């Protein structure tokens, strides 16, 4: 294996369809109009020396190294800023150019430390390469004049250093931050010789506006901005392309290695979801893989008050299997179940649900999508016929109006957030529907046209009021509706939404959204050109989550904003493989490809291949399993890669359910919160230690490639296979590619998917088949998958969770950029410098009423329970609303959330909890008790080493 070096074409590709032919160094080349001479030359294999140009951003033309001569033109123009023209004759190498380039390089080198041999970037430095490329052999100016060699390094960022002595002021970092990331954290301060890169107002990187995405580090042609891991470990010597294991954007990275050691993750320019960009999590937060708390040996214990005992894999697996068999023999076939993981690969997820259906012999399988995007599955399947988003991320480049509802892309889906910001800076319009002022409402060079700061829990009322405006003001795309949708259902719906009770004026008192603002937003959505809706858990995690998804689908159909690039309904999926875990049949009622277990034809396919009977009745959902456990009927569970104690609502109920079981098997990297209630711990493997595939929010199946040996000894799919064999249901997959072959055989939407096909196409967006082997970037182009689009009546039913004198505020929850979900991984990385604890955001008016000052400890009390955390007083939230994240187990935010859930899918209503907030002295009794119990539960009894005589 070698290091993958992607070609840098110097300037971005031109999207023009017109072609231009020119001659470069005597060779004819044809490129799209608008291409730079530099890129055209590189496309035919000629690398013109360059320093300030790179193909991730527009040409700048500052270094003057890329000069060329053009017949009939005076001077020596910069090839990066000069576009090609028909018939142009260009020379890239002449004695005159060589002399000029040498002169430029001499100037750069005279103010540069000559420590190449000991520099961390030695061998990966464009300045060094260019000195060689132009044949620089001496520097006439000497090295003793004014220079910047003694300037101090900024090492404040945990992941990279800034060494100004090595800066050539090419501005690539500044432009990367502006154009690629969209944070505008860097400037070139000072003038002329004194000019230097400066984060924010000459602050250290850590305290500046920098969000540590790494784009500037990647763009820097010198060692000025360098990953600390490269400084510590040295230059990588081979690399493998793989997929980020954090969020549903699905960024592709080159894992750059030295032997078995990961040196750095570099975003892959050919990654179709990220196009060479990254966020702080995928780029830098991978250190958890080696964290000292990672468990690599299997452990068992007879009861949860005992310490863990390390055992062999054989003992752990046979103990777990015999316990499940004992429980089923005693309490019946339905008394056990399992939970698949959206963090694991498709192959691993498929295998867990297969184990449950085939080896346990029931359908008691569920997944974390239950608690996030199950309403998306239900809502989009009902209206369009497919449980998935309609577009690819590239589609954002054609968006003219973006609607962001219940999502916070710059924190939750940061690389998509950056791509969206690029489009907004190009002029696309923006509507934000969110109770909180997310960054996109106002961020450098972007301001939302409308921010509908609705009251939590009123999405359906707002969306239906938007439909009211569209229908009653005659903004429906009638031709689209007539051709593509069920007309009778449309008429019923149009009549429903036209009712006066859904006018913006009538809904304003409920939703808190000013009627005129809502009307203006609805008009913009309907008439502003290509309009795309992007939504997140702020839509789904409600008692009317499925209704809100269908209300969104109604809007898209009514305005014809579906079935082409730049439009559509786009759920921003949370975890890396939440789409995949749903596709793989992780729900108790569905086999892979969303076929109901009662569907005889589908079930027979599985039964024939698997050689077992499958129960035609749906099994238990997570909540039902826990309820049944509390009632004494459900006794054993196999949980792969989920921390339900921290992630699921009403923590006390989850704890009671787990505590009531006789065998809880947790397969994970760390002793997570759920493992406090476990009897068997099977150590899991990280995404760096396994082969397989993830499916991102665009339905894009991408390869995950193993770059190191699993520290625990097995990839996760192998552990499931061991367990299944021990349970008496044989599995013998030699490699995950064989599991994918089985998935493709059993799942029509995955027809033709294989590891070979993925290697060939790079990625595949399901649905795919022989006619479309690389899949379908935009769905429902010619017609809806279900036939005619279905308009659904979306009556607004207020949640039962009501505010009142005891609980006058509404709590809503979300994520922040540096942390990920329950934080099991990100808390075990240096990302904690940006978020050491969860804070409660509260509006200044509400804080003042309660005597709360910024930083005070406060008690957050709901009908379900109470917790304490510190307050942040901010007007990002509206009066009456408080907000927190749930990344830290000590916060126990889900002690406060209730048992209410979506009527169709049981997705918990995380986003609306009536609470009271008051100043407090410290942790609640539950927090203290829980903390003590967690500490006790994590004890590991290791055998003392046997001492030899004399030792
Ligand atoms: S790391 Fe990202 S946000 Fe920070 S300065 Fe660099 S480009 Fe800007
Ligand atoms: S830090 Fe790097 S990218 Fe930025 S101006 Fe200096 S040399 Fe160029
Ligand atoms: S945006 Fe998501 S997929 Fe991309 S690097 Fe960040 S966490 Fe990973
Ligand atoms: S690369 Fe063209 S001017 Fe710097």
């Amino acid at each position: 294996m070698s290091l993958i070096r992607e070609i840098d074409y110097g300037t971005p590709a031109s999207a023009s369809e017109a072609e231009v032919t020119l001659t470069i160094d005597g060779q004819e080349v044809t490129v799209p109009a608008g291409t730079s001479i530099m890129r055209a030359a590189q496309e035919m294999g000629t690398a013109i020396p360059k320093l300030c140009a790179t193909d991730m951003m527009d040409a700048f033309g500052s270094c003057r190294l890329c000069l060329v001569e053009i017949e009939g033109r005076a001077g020596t123009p910069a090839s990066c800023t000069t576009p090609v023209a028909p018939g142009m004759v260009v020379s890239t190498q002449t004695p005159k150019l060589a002399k000029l380039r040498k002169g430029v390089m001499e100037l750069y080198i005279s103010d540069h430390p000559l420590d190449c041999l000991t520099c961390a970037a030695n061998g990966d430095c464009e300045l060094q390469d260019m000195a060689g490329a132009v044949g620089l052999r001496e520097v006439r100016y000497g090295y003793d004049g004014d220079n910047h060699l003694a300037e101090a390094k900024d090492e404040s960022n945990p992941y990279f250093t800034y060494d100004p002595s090595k800066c050539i002021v090419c501005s690539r970092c500044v432009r990367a931050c502006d154009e690629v990331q969209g944070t505008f954290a860097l400037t070139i301060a000072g003038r002329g010789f004194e000019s230097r890169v400066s984060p924010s107002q000459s602050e250290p990187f850590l305290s500046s506006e920098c969000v540590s995405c790494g784009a500037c580090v990647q763009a820097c042609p010198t060692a000025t901005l360098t990953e600390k891991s490269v400084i510590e470990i040295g230059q990588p010597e081979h690399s493998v392309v793989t997929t980020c294991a954090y969020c549903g954007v699905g960024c592709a990275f080159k894992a750059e290695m030295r032997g078995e050691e990961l040196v750095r993750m570099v975003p892959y320019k050919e990654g179709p979801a990220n196009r060479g960009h990254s966020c702080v999590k995928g780029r830098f937060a991978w250190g958890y893989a080696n964290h000292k708390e990672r468990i690599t040996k299997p452990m068992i214990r007879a009861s949860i008050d005992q310490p863990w005992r390390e055992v062999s894999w054989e003992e752990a697996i046979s103990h777990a299997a015999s316990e499940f068999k004992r429980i089923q023999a005693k309490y019946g076939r339905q008394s056990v179940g399992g939970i698949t993981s959206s963090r694991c690969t498709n192959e691993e997820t498929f295998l867990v649900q297969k184990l449950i259906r085939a080896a346990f012999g029931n359908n008691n399988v569920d997944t974390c999508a239950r608690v996030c995007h199950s309403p998306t599955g239900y809502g989009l399947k009902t209206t369009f016929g497919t449980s998935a988003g309609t577009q690819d991320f590239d589609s954002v480049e054609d968006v003219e109006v973006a609607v962001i509802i219940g999502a916070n892309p710059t924190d939750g889906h940061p690389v998509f957030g950056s791509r969206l910001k690029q489009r907004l800076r190009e002029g696309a319009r923006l509507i934000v529907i969110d109770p909180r002022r997310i960054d996109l409402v106002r961020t450098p060079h972007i301001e939302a046209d409308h921010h509908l700061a609705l009251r939590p829990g009123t999405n359906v009322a707002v969306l239906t009021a938007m439909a009211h405006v569209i229908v009653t003001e005659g903004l429906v795309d009638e031709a689209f509706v007539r051709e593509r949708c069920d007309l009778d259902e449309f008429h019923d719906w149009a009549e429903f939404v036209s009712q006066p009770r859904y006018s913006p004026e009538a809904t304003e008192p409920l939703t808190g959204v000013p009627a005129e603002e809502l009307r203006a937003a609805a008009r913009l959505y309907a008439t502003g050109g290509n309009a795309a809706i992007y939504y997140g858990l702020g839509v789904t995690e409600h008692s009317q989550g499925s209704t809100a998804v269908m209300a969104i689908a109604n809007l898209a159909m009514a305005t014809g904003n579906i079935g082409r690039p730049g439009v559509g309904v786009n759920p921003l999926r949370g975890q890396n493989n939440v789409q995949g875990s749903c596709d793989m049949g992780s729900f108790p009622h569905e086999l892979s490809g969303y076929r109901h277990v009662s569907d005889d034809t589908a079930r027979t396919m599985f039964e024939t291949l698997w050689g077992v009977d499958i129960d035609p009745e749906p099994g238990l959902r997570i909540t039902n399993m826990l309820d049944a456990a509390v009632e004494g009927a459900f006794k054993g569970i196999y949980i792969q890669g989920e921390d339900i104690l921290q992630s699921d609502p009403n923590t006390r109920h989850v704890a009671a359910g787990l505590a009531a079981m006789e065998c809880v098997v947790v397969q994970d990297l760390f002793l997570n919160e759920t493992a406090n209630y476990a009897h068997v711990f099977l150590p899991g493997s990280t995404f760096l230690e396994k082969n397989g595939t993830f499916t991102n929010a665009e339905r894009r199946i991408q390869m995950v490639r193993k770059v190191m040996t699993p520290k625990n000894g097995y990839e996760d799919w192998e552990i499931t296979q061991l367990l299944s064999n021990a349970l008496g249901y044989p599995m013998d997959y030699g490699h995950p590619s064989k599991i994918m072959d089985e998935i493709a055989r059993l799942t029509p939407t995955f027809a033709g998917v294989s590891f070979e096909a993925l290697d060939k196409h790079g990625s595949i967006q399901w649905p795919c088949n022989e006619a479309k082997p690389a899949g379908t970037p935009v769905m429902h182009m010619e017609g809806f998958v279900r036939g005619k689009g279905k308009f659904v009546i979306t009556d607004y039913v207020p949640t039962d969770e009501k505010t009142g004198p005891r609980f006058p505020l509404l709590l809503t929850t979300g994520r922040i950029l540096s942390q990920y979900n329950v934080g099991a991984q990100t808390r075990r990385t240096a990302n904690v410098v940006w978020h050491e604890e969860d804070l409660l955001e509260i509006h200044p008016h509400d804080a003042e009423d309660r005597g709360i000052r910024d930083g005070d400890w406060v008690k957050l009390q709901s009908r379900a329970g109470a917790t304490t955390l510190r307050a942040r007083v901010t007007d990002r939230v509206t009066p009456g609303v408080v907000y927190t994240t749930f990344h830290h187990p000590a916060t126990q935010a889900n002690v406060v959330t209730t048992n209410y859930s979506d009527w169709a899918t049981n997705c918990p209503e995380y986003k609306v909890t009536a609470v009271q907030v008051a100043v407090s002295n410290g942790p609640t009794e539950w927090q203290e008790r829980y903390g003590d119990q967690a500490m006790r539960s994590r004890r590991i009894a290791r055998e003392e080493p046997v001492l030899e005589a004399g030792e």
Side-chain angles (χ1 to χ4, degrees), residues 162 166-174 188 197 216 219-222 224-225:
Y162 169 57
K166 295 189 170 170
C167 180
I168 58 171
V169 203
C170 65
S171 278
R172 273 164 65 159
C173 54
V174 178
I188 300 286
V197 174
C216 56
C220 182
T222 66
T224 314
L225 290 162

Side-chain angles (χ1 to χ4, degrees), residues 47-51 63-67 92-109 126-139:
I48 299 175
K50 61 179 175 54
L51 276 173
C63 75
R64 309 296 297 161
L65 197 62
C66 68
L67 310 178
T92 71
Q93 282 294 350
T94 65
K96 181 178 175 187
L97 293 173
K99 193 169 167 216
L100 286 170
R101 288 179 188 148
K102 259 189 203 169
V104 171
M105 282 307 295
E106 266 187 285
L107 280 172
Y108 278 123
I109 298 293
E126 291 181 42
L127 190 68
Q128 194 180 42
D129 294 346
M130 289 308 118
V134 305
L136 189 70
R137 300 288 174 259
E138 58 175 338
V139 173

Side-chain angles (χ1 to χ4, degrees), residues 160 173 176-177 181 183 185-186 205 209-217:
F160 60 83
C173 54
C177 194
Q181 166 56 26
T183 293
L186 301 177
F205 267 87
E209 282 143 21
C210 166
V211 293
S212 206
C213 71
C216 56
V217 182

Side-chain angles (χ1 to χ4, degrees), residues 192-251:
F193 184 74
E194 293 309 322
S195 55
R196 275 295 161 266
V197 174
S198 161
S200 299
Q201 306 298 318
S202 295
E203 287 166 62
F205 267 87
L206 187 61
S207 45
S208 73
E209 282 143 21
C210 166
V211 293
S212 206
C213 71
C216 56
V217 182
Q218 197 182 342
C220 182
T222 66
T224 314
L225 290 162
T226 306
E227 296 92 346
K228 287 183 175 172
S229 56
V230 172
I231 296 172
E232 278 156 28
I233 304 170
Q235 284 291 324
E237 37 78 20
H238 73 271
S239 52
V240 179
V241 175
T242 190
T243 307
C244 178
Y246 278 113
C247 87
V249 176
C251 298

